[in-house]
Amino acid sequence: MTNADEKFMQVNMGPQHPSTHGVLRLLVTTDGEVLSGVKPYIGYLHRALEKIAERVTYPQFSPFTDRLDYLASMNCNLAYAMTVEKLLNIEVPRRAQILRVIMAELNRISSHLIAFGSFSSDMGAFTPFLFGIREREFINDLFEIACGARLTYNYIRIGGVSKDIPGGFIEKTREFLDYFPAKIKEYNELLSYNAIFIKRLANIAVISPDDAFDYGITGPNLRASGIKWDLRREEPYLIYNELDFDIPVGKGEMGKTGDAWDRYMMRIYEMEQSAKIVRQCLDLLAPGDYTAKVSKVLKPPAGEVYVRAENPRGELGFYLISDGSTKPYRLKIRAPSFANLSIIPKLARGVMIADLVAIIGSLDIILPEIDR
Amino acid sequence: MAGYFKKMYHSISTVLTGLGITIKYGINPKTEVTQQYPEVKREPPEGFRGKLFVDINICTGCTACARICPVDAITLKTVRDENKKLRPVLFDIDNARCIYCGLCVEACPVDNCLYFEKKYEFSAYSKEDLISHFGLGEVKPAESKTEDKKTEAGKEGKEAAQ
Amino acid sequence: MTELINRILSGMSPTMPLTRLLITILIMVVSAAIVLAVSLLYEGFATYAERKVAGDIQARIGPNRVGPYGLLQFVADGVKLLLKEDIIPFYADRWLFIIAPYIVFTVSFAAFVPLSYSDHVSIANLNVGVLYMIAISSVVSMAILMGAWGSNNKWSLFGGMRAVAQIVSYEIPIVLSLLAAIIIPASLSMRDIIAYQSGGLGIFRWLVFNNPFTLIAFFVYFIAAIAEVNRTPFDIPEAESEIVAGYHTEYTGMRFAFFFMAEYGDMFVVSAIAATLFLGGWQIPFIGGIPMPVWLREVLQVGVFFTKVFLLIYVMMWIRWTLPRLRVDQLMELCWKYLTPIALFNLIGASVWVLLLHDRGVYDIIARVFTR
Ligand code: SF4
Ligand code: SF4
């Protein structure tokens, strides 16, 4: 150790730390309160999901995708199902497509609610967290009606969805959509536009568009930097091209474009947009099949596909190689949080410890997806 | 200087707005959303994925469920009885392994044979207690006796499931 | 209490010095025990109240299992903490680590002494009461640093440094704003200050309404006091999401409970100072002028005093469960750029007021206009 090093203190933030969103370990080098370097260490939640994929059949892997980003299981199910469908050339019935959009967008709302809540508790305000959870319970109830599970849904399957929505689902969803905007307004008044909150986040950890491209940042974090890139618009899948919704981008309302406040606010805006999408889909819903005819044993032709979808946390991609057997030859998962995490060491230089928490929270990473 | 006071005004006014929201919740007890769980139990909706149940008498022992299960939670052993029909003598579902994904239920070719119950409270003190045994046990070749055995085993299975 | 001792002793023959000494000590011990019992009871209920208030605000129920309405929750918590293993980290500085919680607790307990609970109920009517309170509450910062340093944990050290920086800084606005009030009754004794605020229906002669400057001073004091007792939005010394639990990260069981109780003790003390100096202490509003038996008056006065204190504590809890937390540098900014200058100018204004109008407040002036 040289003399220069002795000025600094090394602290382990995590894996047991209240605000590392799971089990992320950050080796933090600090000079008092000011950070001089951060090194993330991952792998504490490694379950070898990619290897498991090689050992189970195509339909069997679907429940495992629930466990990628467990706050947005529907979206993960969706991306996986679309990947296999592309390999098998399955045409999904329209009703199933609409149901998929409804579920994916509801799940986007519930995932963003957790992002909002956990971020607020990182910032020291605990009440918005419980408010977020309260609204999320409503969505969980909806999912429970639809598929019987509250967290690991395994609802969107290869070919369609696992079962049709029961009666009452549509009314309940409408009830939620009517009730939700008032709550968003409440969040904004309570937290988003709070002076302390803005002071903590404005101009903190600015990601410039160039940096965002360099590090492969996607999702709300990318859009916060002012880049209008959303796969639902750029490469429309399902019925997204028929739907009318805006893509919110960061404008630097409270400071520089791409700061932590912008990233946080993207999620609030996206919740509003998702609610709008769900409302349109409910109107579009017409009777029909909820799943395509899919044979029980799937044997896709040899070949490889890459499919990506817009997850709440960014682009989730599945790169699937098939050797013609019933099991994938190789499945590579491109997890959005992994790329988003990689920018932390760059952002967390010369900031304070409290800002590091704000950075992690505003990037909204989720560990099971990173470690896989 | 003007900025100084403007900042102060902004901070105070937004803080007061926030306080206004929380006090609304603070003084109105009707806003509580908690359910007092052990006293108030919520009724799971239709199609809730709770504990698995097998109606062993109509199970054909086709093993489709065991084969589709991604986590190998189902252990099945079948023998042929004297009518050359496959009978599941051993049918164990390890509730600790099961991830309640529902693939087995969808794979089962017999209606109302394998299904989820609405039960979600089945904690136990040991891992072994979490395995529900539905199997028929021995299948005797004699017709009449097999019938007796079947119903008994079915009952046992039900009891074990409870 | 000195008066009480004097009164009892005066009835005795002066020829028994030993008995006199014993009786003096006995009275001291008994009154200390009473204060300890009352303060422990208060601290227990304060923890219960905090959780209940949090529950109410967060649309939850809060503790309701132990005893009626969960009122005995603190007993259960206390028993739990007593039974916990008492861990002293191997590399801790044992001596500092062990005595720090006792000092923190003793200090917060000692601050109950000069308070005037009613016309006749007080432990000691110090003629330098306010000064004593300010002085003794500064000792806390030393004890916290001892505990933090003694734990030999980096997070604790962070917390300790933050706590000391914060408490020392915020003492300045506190003292300056208190001065603006003290110069009017021109006394440091709690009882004299309260006695000065009689009349005006028991409300309008409160020092907070005396002149515009005392009104501002009250708010400055209250904000700084929240910071002094380390509560959200100024809870950076124990910011859970940043530095785990701050200075008491390594403490377990009863030692942790001492820190915990001291926090609630401090809340009482700062609220009691606010009530005494600004809100008329035990002056009974509206019906104070009606003749009534002495015992009833005393009971009412104690009741009024505690009501005022608890209302202020409620406000502190309400603020805590609403706002996010400031960053450490912003905290200092608030102190040095806002509160201290405001308090300073305020003090000048108050002094000029007193110089020109002597101790006549707004109410006195209006009252005089009307009586003429
Ligand atoms: S629900 Fe899923 S995990 Fe459970 S037994 Fe059936 S297939 Fe296996
Ligand atoms: S799939 Fe159904 S019928 Fe076949 S073995 Fe399983 S439970 Fe029995």
Side-chain angles (χ1 to χ4, degrees):
Chain A
M1 203 185 240
T2 62
N3 265 349
D5 289 342
E6 274 166 20
K7 236 183 84 189
F8 298 109
M9 179 158 87
Q10 288 207 321
V11 199
N12 261 318
M13 194 164 172
Q16 300 97 346
H17 186 278
S19 59
T20 49
H21 291 237
V23 279
L24 173 66
R25 175 177 157 220
L26 296 166
L27 185 60
V28 176
T29 315
T30 72
D31 177 8
E33 287 275 343
V34 183
L35 305 179
S36 63
V38 170
K39 232 184 199 174
Y41 288 87
I42 57 171
Y44 291 89
L45 213 60
H46 185 62
R47 291 145 302 158
L49 283 182
E50 290 181 4
K51 190 69 193 166
I52 288 174
E54 296 165 21
R55 304 286 306 263
V56 295
T57 61
Y58 287 95
Q60 277 185 333
F61 189 66
S62 167
F64 288 101
T65 57
D66 286 339
R67 285 146 183 87
L68 269 177
D69 176 351
Y70 56 80
L71 295 177
S73 298
M74 289 283 186
N75 300 67
C76 297
N77 288 167
L78 173 64
Y80 176 70
M82 288 198 309
T83 315
V84 182
E85 280 154 15
K86 191 168 172 197
L87 199 60
L88 285 159
N89 263 326
I90 295 175
E91 185 63 36
V92 181
R94 188 170 164 78
R95 185 176 170 88
Q97 293 203 4
I98 298 173
L99 284 179
R100 282 178 169 192
V101 174
I102 293 176
M103 297 305 167
E105 294 305 323
L106 282 178
N107 210 168
R108 191 183 308 277
I109 295 177
S110 82
S111 165
H112 282 344
L113 281 172
I114 291 286
F116 154 80
S118 57
F119 190 37
S120 77
S121 80
D122 283 351
M123 291 295 101
F126 200 66
T127 303
F129 178 68
L130 283 144
F131 286 178
I133 293 275
R134 181 186 58 189
E135 269 68 78
R136 180 170 175 265
E137 277 304 290
F138 210 125
I139 300 181
N140 278 357
D141 284 348
L142 290 175
F143 286 152
E144 195 181 16
I145 297 172
C147 73
R150 295 176 74 83
L151 187 68
T152 49
Y153 312 113
N154 190 23
Y155 178 66
I156 297 174
R157 301 284 176 79
I158 300 162
V161 295
S162 75
K163 57 184 175 190
D164 209 344
I165 47 169
F169 178 85
I170 297 179
E171 290 74 45
K172 271 226 145 135
T173 314
R174 279 195 205 281
E175 196 186 311
F176 172 73
L177 294 175
D178 291 339
Y179 148 98
F180 192 50
K183 297 295 154 188
I184 290 198
K185 194 166 159 266
E186 198 175 281
Y187 301 158
N188 282 342
E189 282 174 2
L190 182 59
L191 190 70
S192 314
Y193 294 115
N194 183 290
I196 299 175
F197 190 67
I198 293 172
K199 210 163 161 43
R200 280 294 303 273
L201 298 177
N203 295 326
I204 294 296
V206 181
I207 302 181
S208 68
D210 287 342
D211 279 348
F213 283 133
D214 289 352
Y215 284 87
I217 308 275
T218 45
N221 299 331
L222 175 71
R223 292 190 282 277
S225 297
I227 299 159
K228 205 166 187 156
W229 176 267
D230 189 319
L231 288 177
R232 292 174 292 171
R233 269 271 181 279
E234 304 301 324
E235 295 181 351
Y237 49 94
L238 300 176
I239 57 159
Y240 278 116
N241 48 6
E242 299 170 28
L243 300 170
D244 164 40
F245 61 98
D246 298 331
I247 309 227
V249 285
K251 295 192 196 74
E253 281 166 71
M254 294 299 159
K256 293 203 189 90
T257 305
D259 59 7
W261 193 84
D262 265 350
R263 283 199 288 283
Y264 157 84
M265 208 56 197
M266 277 314 101
R267 303 200 160 84
I268 301 279
Y269 292 145
E270 274 181 25
M271 284 199 273
E272 286 169 353
Q273 294 305 320
S274 293
K276 199 169 146 192
I277 295 176
V278 175
R279 207 180 274 279
Q280 292 171 42
C281 287
L282 288 178
D283 295 336
L284 284 175
L285 212 52
D289 286 339
Y290 64 86
T291 177
K293 285 262 172 298
V294 185
S295 71
K296 284 226 157 140
V297 180
L298 292 181
K299 252 193 172 167
E304 48 183 70
V305 283
Y306 179 69
V307 171
R308 49 186 186 169
E310 187 70 32
N311 249 34
R313 286 174 181 75
E315 271 178 44
L316 176 70
F318 283 99
Y319 180 52
L320 187 59
I321 304 177
S322 154
D323 57 359
S325 70
T326 56
K327 294 172 182 171
Y329 176 72
R330 171 84 170 96
L331 180 71
K332 163 84 180 88
I333 302 164
R334 188 249 183 238
S337 296
F338 184 76
N340 294 350
L341 170 84
S342 66
I343 200 168
I344 288 180
K346 180 175 163 63
L347 293 180
R349 214 169 288 148
V351 298
M352 310 191 92
I353 292 181
D355 293 334
L356 179 60
V357 176
I359 291 170
I360 302 171
S362 73
L363 287 171
D364 187 25
I365 52 172
I366 186 156
L367 266 293
E369 185 178 61
I370 294 170
D371 291 343
R372 302 196 280 282
Chain B
M1 203 64 200
Y4 182 85
F5 287 108
K6 218 169 148 189
K7 252 192 213 161
M8 221 149 74
Y9 169 75
H10 178 231
S11 311
I12 293 171
S13 67
T14 53
V15 165
L16 288 182
T17 327
L19 287 174
I21 288 178
T22 42
I23 196 68
K24 253 188 273 163
Y25 284 98
I27 55 177
N28 185 359
K30 280 201 203 95
T31 52
E32 280 162 7
V33 290
T34 316
Q35 275 179 3
Q36 295 282 295
Y37 161 61
E39 283 100 44
V40 186
K41 283 189 184 149
R42 66 190 286 276
E43 180 61 19
E46 253 348 282
F48 178 75
R49 306 211 301 243
K51 197 177 184 184
L52 279 167
F53 182 76
V54 190
D55 191 347
I56 204 73
N57 294 318
I58 55 172
C59 169
T60 60
C62 69
T63 71
C65 52
R67 271 181 284 129
I68 193 81
C69 179
V71 290
D72 300 336
I74 303 179
T75 319
L76 246 179
K77 215 166 104 194
T78 53
V79 291
R80 290 194 185 273
D81 67 1
E82 89 280 21
N83 296 342
K84 293 268 154 62
K85 269 170 85 183
L86 271 182
R87 305 299 300 154
V89 282
L90 179 76
F91 198 123
D92 286 353
I93 299 179
D94 189 344
N95 288 303
R97 290 195 96 172
C98 176
I99 55 176
Y100 307 94
C101 64
L103 290 181
C104 54
V105 173
E106 284 156 41
C108 179
V110 185
D111 277 352
N112 281 332
C113 167
L114 177 62
Y115 56 88
F116 286 115
E117 289 179 300
K118 282 192 186 176
K119 202 181 311 168
Y120 52 88
E121 294 166 304
F122 45 91
S123 49
Y125 282 102
S126 80
K127 251 181 174 173
E128 284 69 42
D129 294 347
L130 280 173
I131 303 175
S132 22
H133 306 279
F134 295 104
L136 288 171
E138 288 287 290
V139 179
K140 295 246 172 73
E143 248 264 81
S144 55
K145 275 191 180 170
T146 318
E147 288 278 304
D148 287 357
K149 197 83 192 170
K150 264 190 221 162
T151 40
E152 240 173 63
K155 252 189 218 158
E156 261 170 36
K158 256 182 200 155
E159 270 159 26
Q162 259 133 50
Chain C
M1 197 181 70
T2 353
E3 293 138 54
L4 186 68
I5 295 174
N6 286 340
R7 213 179 298 165
I8 292 172
L9 293 185
S10 62
M12 292 172 52
S13 70
T15 49
M16 293 144 70
L18 194 66
T19 329
R20 286 178 70 114
L21 185 69
L22 278 180
I23 285 182
T24 313
I25 290 173
L26 188 73
I27 293 173
M28 280 169 139
V29 168
V30 166
S31 53
I34 291 172
V35 179
L36 187 63
V38 170
S39 66
L40 282 181
L41 200 66
Y42 147 75
E43 275 149 18
F45 278 107
T47 53
Y48 165 78
E50 171 99 280
R51 295 171 62 179
K52 205 74 181 170
V53 168
D56 283 347
I57 285 178
Q58 296 169 347
R60 296 186 288 118
I61 295 175
N64 69 344
R65 292 286 143 160
V66 193
Y69 302 102
L71 271 170
L72 297 178
Q73 183 67 41
F74 73 93
V75 181
D77 286 347
V79 171
K80 182 194 81 179
L81 284 171
L82 269 176
L83 296 178
K84 287 262 160 162
E85 188 188 353
D86 177 25
I87 298 169
I88 300 176
F90 188 71
Y91 288 107
D93 189 329
R94 286 182 71 91
W95 177 234
L96 290 183
F97 186 84
I98 289 170
I99 61 167
Y102 301 128
I103 296 183
V104 170
F105 184 70
T106 314
V107 165
S108 90
F109 167 58
F112 279 77
V113 169
L115 292 176
S116 177
Y117 299 97
S118 81
D119 211 352
H120 294 103
V121 181
S122 73
I123 320 291
N125 182 19
L126 293 183
N127 56 357
V128 288
V130 180
L131 194 63
Y132 168 85
M133 299 284 263
I134 295 167
I136 202 134
S137 62
S138 319
V139 182
V140 173
S141 61
M142 189 191 74
I144 286 178
L145 191 61
M146 278 164 68
W149 179 263
S151 309
N152 198 3
N153 174 312
K154 288 164 182 173
W155 297 120
S156 300
L157 191 58
F158 274 130
M161 297 302 286
R162 285 176 172 198
V164 173
Q166 175 173 341
I167 293 174
V168 170
S169 310
Y170 273 86
E171 236 140 52
I172 292 158
I174 283 186
V175 173
L176 289 178
S177 53
L178 286 184
L179 270 182
I182 290 169
I183 50 173
I184 295 160
S187 164
L188 285 173
S189 147
M190 295 280 187
R191 200 169 139 210
D192 294 355
I193 294 172
I194 296 176
Y196 175 84
Q197 300 177 60
S198 65
L201 291 177
I203 287 187
F204 297 110
R205 289 204 77 225
W206 291 0
L207 283 176
V208 64
F209 299 130
N210 190 283
N211 61 52
F213 301 105
T214 47
L215 186 67
I216 296 174
F218 172 66
F219 287 106
V220 171
Y221 170 76
F222 195 63
I223 294 171
I226 296 175
E228 175 95 1
V229 297
N230 302 336
R231 289 177 66 82
T232 318
F234 311 109
D235 64 339
I236 57 155
E238 40 201 285
E240 193 223 0
S241 59
E242 292 161 23
I243 51 170
V244 193
Y247 54 85
H248 54 64
T249 305
E250 294 286 358
Y251 282 93
T252 55
M254 242 9 237
R255 289 184 219 283
F256 165 74
F258 277 139
F259 276 116
F260 196 63
M261 289 191 296
E263 183 186 327
Y264 287 95
D266 288 345
M267 271 169 77
F268 185 91
V269 168
V270 294
S271 305
I273 296 179
T276 303
L277 258 71
F278 293 102
L279 303 182
W282 37 256
Q283 295 293 350
I284 308 169
F286 306 123
I287 54 167
I290 301 169
M292 57 178 93
V294 176
W295 63 269
L296 183 61
R297 183 177 293 275
E298 293 289 308
V299 169
L300 271 182
Q301 282 176 341
V302 173
V304 165
F305 182 75
F306 275 95
T307 312
K308 285 173 183 169
V309 172
F310 289 152
L311 271 179
L312 288 174
I313 292 178
Y314 182 84
V315 173
M316 282 191 185
M317 293 178 176
W318 173 23
I319 290 176
R320 168 167 181 186
W321 296 110
T322 304
L323 296 180
R325 151 187 330 125
L326 283 162
R327 203 172 60 203
V328 62
D329 57 329
Q330 291 162 352
L331 186 90
M332 292 297 161
E333 190 184 311
L334 177 69
C335 175
W336 294 108
K337 280 197 190 162
Y338 292 88
L339 294 182
T340 306
I342 290 172
L344 196 60
F345 282 114
N346 202 37
L347 178 60
I348 296 171
S351 319
V352 171
W353 181 285
V354 172
L355 199 65
L356 297 181
L357 299 160
H358 305 289
D359 65 343
R360 257 171 274 139
V362 176
Y363 171 77
D364 301 319
I365 296 167
I366 295 174
R368 187 174 300 183
V369 168
F370 273 96
T371 45
R372 237 183 230 162

